[in-house]
Amino acid sequence: MSATLHRIDAGPAPSLDPMLRLVAHDMNAVNSVILDRMQSDVPLIPELAGHLIAGGGKRMRPMLTLACARLLDYPGTRHHKLAAAVEFIHTATLLHDDVVDGSDLRRGRRTANIIWGNPASVLVGDFLFSRSFELMVEDGSLKVLRILSNASAVIAEGEVNQLTAQRQVETSEERYLDIIGAKTAALFAAACRIAAVVAERPEAEELALDAYGRNLGIAFQLVDDAIDYSSDEATMGKGVGDDFRDGKVTLPVILAHARGSAADKAFWRDAMMGHRVSDADLAHATGLLRATGAIDDTIERARHYGQRAIDALGGFGASAAKAALTEAVGFAVARAY
Amino acid sequence: MSATLHRIDAGPAPSLDPMLRLVAHDMNAVNSVILDRMQSDVPLIPELAGHLIAGGGKRMRPMLTLACARLLDYPGTRHHKLAAAVEFIHTATLLHDDVVDGSDLRRGRRTANIIWGNPASVLVGDFLFSRSFELMVEDGSLKVLRILSNASAVIAEGEVNQLTAQRQVETSEERYLDIIGAKTAALFAAACRIAAVVAERPEAEELALDAYGRNLGIAFQLVDDAIDYSSDEATMGKGVGDDFRDGKVTLPVILAHARGSAADKAFWRDAMMGHRVSDADLAHATGLLRATGAIDDTIERARHYGQRAIDALGGFGASAAKAALTEAVGFAVARAY
């Protein structure tokens, strides 16, 4: 990768590999912290947590903390514990999300709530969440604690907001952006920002990394929501059309509904209310999404936020880290194809 | 109340009134923080949280923080925010507990999970939990953060431990004490201990208040577990025999099982497995509990821990606050009658 890559669509197919290589050594340290700190005298805790943590997620959020620290030439190791804390917050959120959605598949494996039941998933999520705060307290930066406790409250608010919007086909694009800004982008932003805090950089750099993470997070979620209608189970590692059947009003639906005929609008309303859950209904929905350009335009929106993420890094000089962070944006957007 | 009251069984029927009077002014300030900080732009959050928070709990844990601060003549107001944080942790735990247990009644009102569903209860619990950390971070004491983040992790561990022990009639008294020490007493201990931290008292006083809270918490839970078999729904504000039907192996069951005949043991095993859920079964269980002295001896155990709580205050001079804290122990134990 060259540091002169400034646009998502330039060059060969973007990949996460440069970022993975950049942080490989640090990520081993983070994984050690994760494995060490998910232990407990209560055996169900590491068993359940390990199922999800070992289940092959991309570790996107801790990776961003590490890559941003590298961008700033941070020489220390404080960020290892904090990156693990970020991953614990994310893991706790996933455990609770799967209970909330009644999901049965994640990352290609059965979900913890299916194997151990909802009660265990709720409580182990609470444990990991508490443990993440213990890790932050051990680090001892009140500024980091402020950023991550605020992000956690915003995530929970976003999840409740999404729950309230469920099945409401009239949800506006603005509200949808509020929801994903909270439930997804807030943790991406915090994961990046805390690297500037541990590296003791000026506030402008903190805010630049916050903006990078936030815009990347929005792009990431937009693409996820498009993929839910355009991929297959093997690629996604979760059920196709889950959002459709759960009545989750994501941007593809908002656009297709807004651009559709009266009959189309009626279909979407029925579908979001849970009255159109057959495979034929899903196929019809996919047809409407393609006909109205809703999927392509969702990706276009993602590209817009991706470009803003890249431009947020404009103040940092060229480096392997900057190139990797830039290419990660391209990867996040290109996953859709 | 006189400061010379050193034994639970001395004097007239003990009451919480002295403690309520002692902290009334401070509690108004705490309630303001609670009401202010449970707000959110997402209306479901204050609606659901308010249902439980306004539902008439005793505010036992924040009251302990306030009373301990008074014991130490702490002149400031930092503890108001921290007492609210403690109550938020407790409220989040209750929301998740009711989901885990599928409870339909608490404090005499329908539970939030029954009214708004499990997903909303899980997510609003997460919000309150995050908000409690935001409050602690605003206070800015890493020591308080350490105490309360550790207590939170211990609570979650205790809840998972209890879940694992559910329906296991062979659960030992030692394991039961571990469970209630974690799920209940850890937050009582932390609520008391942080008063010494904000008052900047020596570690010996921190530890004394920790021991007071921990022993009181164990006594409190023991009595709760006895009441589940010996009270009526109107007094308890929740269903009678809930623990019995949920297969929760509490101390009354552990004692009655250990002391019972082979036939009694078989009954308890069947009951904890969920095969004895009729009113007649519950009446039979209550008969066995009384015949074996299991309820009385559970209260005796509570009295033991209550006495330890009182003796933990031995290093503090006589004061209205000490008398109130002492009488609160008597109240906690006497609730059983």
Side-chain angles (χ1 to χ4, degrees):
Chain A
M1 283 312 309
S2 133
T4 59
L5 176 74
H6 289 309
R7 300 203 62 83
I8 297 172
D9 44 9
S15 151
L16 263 191
D17 290 346
M19 189 142 90
L20 287 165
R21 279 197 301 274
L22 183 79
V23 304
H25 184 71
D26 287 320
M27 190 58 88
N28 285 338
V30 174
N31 282 330
S32 294
V33 178
I34 288 174
L35 284 174
D36 181 46
R37 302 310 290 274
M38 72 183 203
Q39 297 309 314
S40 162
D41 290 339
V42 181
L44 179 56
I45 290 176
E47 196 183 342
L48 191 155
H51 172 79
L52 184 53
I53 286 170
K58 288 182 292 296
R59 301 263 202 280
M60 195 72 192
R61 293 153 191 81
M63 189 154 54
L64 286 169
T65 304
L66 301 177
C68 288
R70 186 58 65 98
L71 178 77
L72 305 174
D73 288 323
Y74 170 64
T77 57
R78 279 176 56 197
H79 59 325
H80 295 160
K81 216 175 244 187
L82 295 175
V86 166
E87 185 68 2
F88 277 168
I89 291 175
H90 177 56
T91 308
T93 307
L94 294 185
L95 286 172
H96 288 185
D97 276 357
D98 284 342
V99 169
V100 165
D101 294 339
S103 308
D104 50 13
L105 209 60
R106 175 176 294 277
R107 297 174 181 168
R109 309 174 76 187
R110 287 201 302 155
T111 53
N113 45 303
I114 293 296
I115 301 175
W116 290 281
N118 286 340
S121 285
V122 170
L123 297 174
V124 175
D126 289 350
F127 173 79
L128 291 175
F129 197 56
S130 303
R131 195 37 67 86
S132 82
F133 276 93
E134 287 193 292
L135 284 165
M136 293 175 224
V137 171
E138 285 173 27
D139 174 69
S141 160
L142 279 167
K143 200 164 179 182
V144 168
L145 274 157
R146 191 173 305 119
I147 291 166
L148 284 171
S149 63
N150 179 254
S152 298
V154 167
I155 290 168
E157 266 182 318
E159 300 272 3
V160 179
N161 199 3
Q162 174 174 260
L163 189 68
T164 317
Q166 207 164 1
R167 309 208 174 282
Q168 308 287 318
V169 78
E170 304 282 359
T171 303
S172 66
E173 178 166 352
E174 305 310 314
R175 183 171 181 193
Y176 167 81
L177 287 171
D178 279 351
I179 290 171
I180 68 173
K183 76 162 190 165
T184 306
L187 191 55
F188 274 74
C192 295
R193 181 173 191 161
I194 58 176
V197 177
V198 296
E200 297 177 13
R201 290 308 189 99
E203 198 184 8
E205 294 190 17
E206 257 186 59
L207 294 178
L209 292 183
D210 185 288
Y212 168 82
R214 191 171 305 275
N215 284 295
L216 172 59
I218 293 173
F220 194 87
Q221 187 62 55
L222 282 162
V223 171
D224 256 13
D225 291 343
I227 287 177
D228 202 78
Y229 287 98
S230 62
S231 184
D232 55 72
E233 187 167 310
T235 311
M236 273 199 296
K238 59 172 193 161
V240 190
D242 275 357
D243 290 350
F244 180 72
R245 293 195 178 86
D246 289 347
K248 280 205 184 149
V249 184
T250 56
L251 189 59
V253 173
I254 291 169
L255 294 179
H257 175 263
R259 296 170 181 183
S261 66
D264 295 344
K265 283 185 162 58
F267 169 82
W268 285 114
R269 178 176 307 273
D270 278 4
M272 292 299 102
M273 291 304 291
H275 306 316
R276 297 278 181 274
V277 296
S278 73
D279 286 351
D281 290 323
L282 179 58
H284 182 64
T286 310
L288 291 179
L289 291 166
R290 297 219 172 271
T292 55
I295 297 289
D296 287 346
D297 284 358
T298 296
I299 304 299
E300 235 358 89
R301 302 282 210 277
R303 198 180 299 272
H304 159 87
Y305 287 102
Q307 190 60 52
R308 283 170 60 173
I310 291 171
D311 287 324
L313 299 180
F316 300 100
S319 69
K322 183 172 172 178
L325 285 162
T326 301
E327 187 164 349
V329 176
F331 167 80
V333 174
R335 287 180 309 143
Y337 300 107
Chain B
M1 283 310 310
S2 133
T4 58
L5 175 74
H6 289 310
R7 300 203 64 83
I8 294 174
D9 44 10
S15 151
L16 263 192
D17 290 346
M19 188 142 90
L20 287 166
R21 277 197 302 274
L22 183 79
V23 305
H25 185 70
D26 288 320
M27 190 57 89
N28 285 337
V30 173
N31 282 331
S32 293
V33 178
I34 288 174
L35 284 175
D36 182 44
R37 302 308 291 273
M38 73 183 202
Q39 296 309 315
S40 162
D41 290 338
V42 182
L44 178 57
I45 290 176
E47 196 183 344
L48 191 156
H51 172 80
L52 184 54
I53 286 171
K58 287 184 290 298
R59 301 261 202 282
M60 194 74 191
R61 294 152 190 82
M63 190 155 53
L64 286 169
T65 304
L66 300 177
C68 288
R70 187 57 66 96
L71 178 76
L72 305 174
D73 288 323
Y74 169 63
T77 57
R78 278 177 57 197
H79 59 325
H80 296 160
K81 216 176 245 187
L82 295 174
V86 166
E87 185 68 3
F88 277 167
I89 291 175
H90 176 56
T91 308
T93 307
L94 294 185
L95 286 173
H96 288 186
D97 275 359
D98 284 341
V99 169
V100 164
D101 294 340
S103 308
D104 50 13
L105 209 60
R106 175 176 295 277
R107 298 173 180 167
R109 309 174 76 188
R110 288 199 302 155
T111 53
N113 46 304
I114 294 296
I115 301 176
W116 290 280
N118 286 340
S121 285
V122 170
L123 297 175
V124 175
D126 289 350
F127 172 79
L128 291 175
F129 197 55
S130 303
R131 194 39 67 86
S132 82
F133 276 94
E134 287 192 293
L135 283 165
M136 294 175 224
V137 171
E138 285 172 28
D139 174 69
S141 161
L142 279 166
K143 199 164 179 183
V144 167
L145 274 157
R146 190 174 305 116
I147 292 167
L148 284 171
S149 63
N150 180 255
S152 298
V154 167
I155 291 168
E157 264 181 320
E159 300 272 3
V160 179
N161 199 2
Q162 174 173 261
L163 190 69
T164 318
Q166 206 165 1
R167 309 209 172 281
Q168 308 287 318
V169 78
E170 304 282 358
T171 303
S172 66
E173 177 166 353
E174 306 310 315
R175 182 171 180 193
Y176 166 81
L177 287 171
D178 280 350
I179 289 171
I180 69 172
K183 74 162 190 165
T184 306
L187 192 55
F188 274 74
C192 295
R193 181 173 192 162
I194 59 175
V197 177
V198 296
E200 297 177 13
R201 290 308 189 100
E203 197 183 8
E205 295 191 17
E206 258 185 58
L207 294 178
L209 292 183
D210 185 289
Y212 167 82
R214 192 172 304 276
N215 284 296
L216 172 59
I218 293 173
F220 195 87
Q221 186 63 56
L222 282 162
V223 172
D224 256 11
D225 291 343
I227 287 179
D228 201 77
Y229 287 98
S230 62
S231 183
D232 55 72
E233 186 168 312
T235 311
M236 271 200 296
K238 58 173 194 158
V240 190
D242 274 358
D243 289 351
F244 180 72
R245 293 194 177 86
D246 289 347
K248 280 205 183 149
V249 184
T250 56
L251 189 60
V253 173
I254 292 169
L255 295 179
H257 175 263
R259 296 168 181 183
S261 67
D264 295 343
K265 282 185 163 58
F267 169 82
W268 285 114
R269 177 177 307 274
D270 278 3
M272 292 298 105
M273 291 304 291
H275 306 315
R276 294 281 182 272
V277 296
S278 73
D279 286 351
D281 290 323
L282 179 58
H284 183 65
T286 310
L288 292 178
L289 291 167
R290 298 219 172 271
T292 55
I295 297 288
D296 287 346
D297 284 358
T298 296
I299 303 298
E300 237 356 270
R301 302 281 209 278
R303 198 181 298 273
H304 159 87
Y305 287 102
Q307 191 60 54
R308 282 170 62 172
I310 290 171
D311 287 325
L313 299 180
F316 300 100
S319 69
K322 183 172 173 178
L325 285 162
T326 301
E327 187 164 350
V329 176
F331 167 79
V333 174
R335 285 180 310 143
Y337 300 106

